[in-house]
Structure formats: structure tokens, C-alpha cells
Amino acid sequence: MCELFGLNSAEKVNCNELLGTFFSHGETNPDGWGLALFDGNSASIEKEPISSAESVYLKHRLSDEIVEDVVLAHIRKASKGGLEYKNCHPFKRRDASGRLWTLIHNGTIFESARVDAYIGKQHGGTDSERILYYLIDQVDAAIAKKGGALTDKERFETVNQVIRDITPENKVNLLIYDGDLFYAHTNFYETLFRLQKGDTLVVATKPLTDDPAWEKVPMSTPLAYRKGRLVFEAEQHPYEFIDKVPRDSEYQNVK
């Protein structure tokens, strides 16, 4: 399956070891990699439609120090959309207020009229990018209704509603950053973990160290963090995805 990585911290930390371990999983997720680093309301995204384990560029990139307070990274096993740069995560778009949203997704949208409405309108061919299009349209609708930029709570409520809209019958593991809040969601058993160390949060599809403090991200419960600390937690929704294979077998969700 695809894998997600996210870091959100009150202070900049060295991410090289964590990223090195994460990107080493590219041997089993060979269809692309991506890395997003942030500076205020802008994001620098680097990605390639090849295995992270085989990327000469990424090897050199990780040889230089990566010291950041917010990071998103992704390794891809394609299910929808070809092996092209435009289908590699992360994806980013601005809302009507100028706020930049960046998203990575692990899962599959099997059926969603709301998401499928963006087929042919998006830049690439993935359902993940379509999720972002739908999210931005919902944020823009909330901005128009209010007549101005949304508060942090209003943005969280919008993200929560979007997740409830698209999650029934679908596998939706998401990490999203809006320049202020860092959102996390999973609805598939034991496919997203978090490590909290003071004011530093790390989220990943699989634990990346032997630290016993890694724990499962709460199921079907959208969360939002700021500077490594939880600030919003939604009510749990009922849309857990149950795969047809036993949970102790190889996970089948791919993105």
C-alpha cells in the first residue's frame, strides 16, 4: 500500500533519519515519491514517478540536512492514475482566501459522486487529487457564505464535513496541512500511527523507530494539530473501512 509521513512541531527538528527510513519503504511502493516542505503560506514540493529506493536525486537530497517544523512525504503504489509526475503526491491548491492546502492520501475512493465530479477537471488522474479539489470547493463555499476568511475552527469543521462526505464505503487515510493546522485521519485498521514527543508529532503509516511510544491514530476521528499539539478532535464517525481480507494479512489498500 502507499505510505504517508507527516511531521508537525513547535520547533524545527532534523528529519533525515525518519525520512531515510520512510523512503526506504519505496521498494514495495515503487510508483513514485514526494516531499513537501513549508515556509509560511508556500510549499516546496519535490517528487518523481519512480521508486524512492532507486531515486538518485532523493539519495542526494537526503544527504543534506533537512531541518523543518512541518513535513509531508508520500511513497506511492498506484491504483488510479498512471506513473506520471502529475500523479505523485503531495498535491496543493489555494482557496479563495489565498490559503494554501497540501494533501497526501493513502486509500481508494471506490465510489463517490462528490469526488468523481472532478474527473476531467483535475491536472492528473488520481482520486487523491480529486479529494483536494472537492475540499477546496467546500472551503470556498464556506468562505463565500461567511463573506470572509474562515477561522481555524471553521476550517476544521469544513474538513471534518468533507471527510464525512467522502468516507462511506471508501478507504480514506489523509494528512493535510493548511499553513496553520495539520490534519490527520484514518478509517482503515492499523494503517496510521503517531509518535508524540513533547511538542513534536510524527505520523506515519508504519512506526519508523523502535520507540514504544508509537500508538495507533484514533479510528474514524478527524484530528487537527498546531505546532505539534492537538487542538481539535471531531466526533468519531461510523465509516470504518472493512477490507475483505483478514486484518492480519497483507494490507490491500493502494493509492
Side-chain angles (χ1 to χ4, degrees):
M1 66 176 182
C2 291
E3 294 189 30
L4 310 178
F5 171 89
L7 179 137
N8 185 244
S9 179
E11 296 187 3
K12 292 182 182 293
V13 297
N14 187 297
C15 306
N16 290 73
E17 186 173 350
L18 286 168
L19 286 172
T21 300
F22 173 74
F23 281 125
S24 72
H25 300 169
E27 292 183 355
T28 53
N29 299 274
D31 300 324
W33 67 270
L35 174 67
L37 307 178
F38 300 89
D39 182 12
N41 196 35
S42 64
S44 172
I45 293 181
E46 304 163 77
K47 53 188 180 181
E48 292 180 294
I50 63 173
S51 169
S52 56
E54 297 178 358
S55 171
V56 174
Y57 173 82
L58 182 58
K59 179 180 179 180
H60 289 295
R61 185 69 177 89
L62 293 178
S63 69
D64 193 19
E65 279 196 336
I66 299 177
V67 181
E68 300 289 336
D69 54 2
V70 183
V71 177
L72 290 175
H74 187 274
I75 49 177
R76 183 175 185 238
K77 188 171 183 181
S79 60
K80 295 186 179 181
L83 305 189
E84 301 176 77
Y85 174 88
K86 63 185 178 182
N87 289 329
C88 295
H89 307 220
F91 302 101
K92 63 180 181 179
R93 286 180 68 82
R94 292 192 184 275
D95 66 27
S97 73
R99 179 177 295 277
L100 183 69
W101 296 72
T102 306
L103 174 148
I104 55 177
H105 170 224
N106 166 18
T108 302
I109 302 296
F110 295 101
E111 183 176 351
S112 172
R114 291 180 173 92
V115 173
D116 290 347
Y118 297 93
I119 294 175
K121 300 178 183 179
Q122 68 196 98
H123 180 61
T126 67
D127 51 2
S128 305
E129 187 185 15
R130 294 194 287 275
I131 292 173
L132 182 58
Y133 272 65
Y134 177 63
L135 170 61
I136 295 301
D137 274 0
Q138 296 308 299
V139 171
D140 286 350
I143 290 171
K145 182 177 180 179
K146 180 181 179 180
L150 304 182
T151 66
D152 55 0
K153 184 177 180 181
E154 289 167 341
R155 296 196 310 276
F156 178 73
E157 289 172 347
T158 303
V159 171
N160 181 39
Q161 186 58 54
V162 165
I163 288 172
R164 294 181 73 91
D165 287 346
I166 69 174
T167 300
E169 306 301 327
N170 296 312
K171 290 184 281 190
V172 184
N173 288 359
L174 292 170
L175 296 180
I176 305 169
Y177 184 59
D178 71 5
D180 174 36
L181 296 179
F182 179 95
Y183 307 84
H185 172 265
T186 178
N187 74 325
F188 192 36
Y189 184 71
E190 290 190 347
T191 56
L192 202 62
F193 293 81
R194 64 184 178 186
L195 177 66
Q196 186 79 51
K197 290 294 185 180
D199 289 335
T200 297
L201 170 78
V202 180
V203 183
T205 299
K206 301 174 183 178
L208 299 175
T209 68
D210 294 329
D211 194 316
W214 283 96
E215 63 179 9
K216 290 177 284 188
V217 172
M219 280 288 297
S220 305
T221 306
L223 308 171
Y225 295 80
R226 178 185 289 116
K227 298 185 182 300
R229 291 295 184 178
L230 183 66
V231 290
F232 295 112
E233 180 173 352
E235 291 186 9
Q236 186 179 48
H237 64 69
Y239 308 120
E240 177 182 359
F241 184 84
I242 307 297
D243 210 340
K244 295 180 181 180
V245 298
R247 283 175 168 173
D248 59 353
S249 67
E250 182 70 18
Y251 293 128
Q252 299 298 310
N253 67 318
V254 293
K255 177 74 230 94

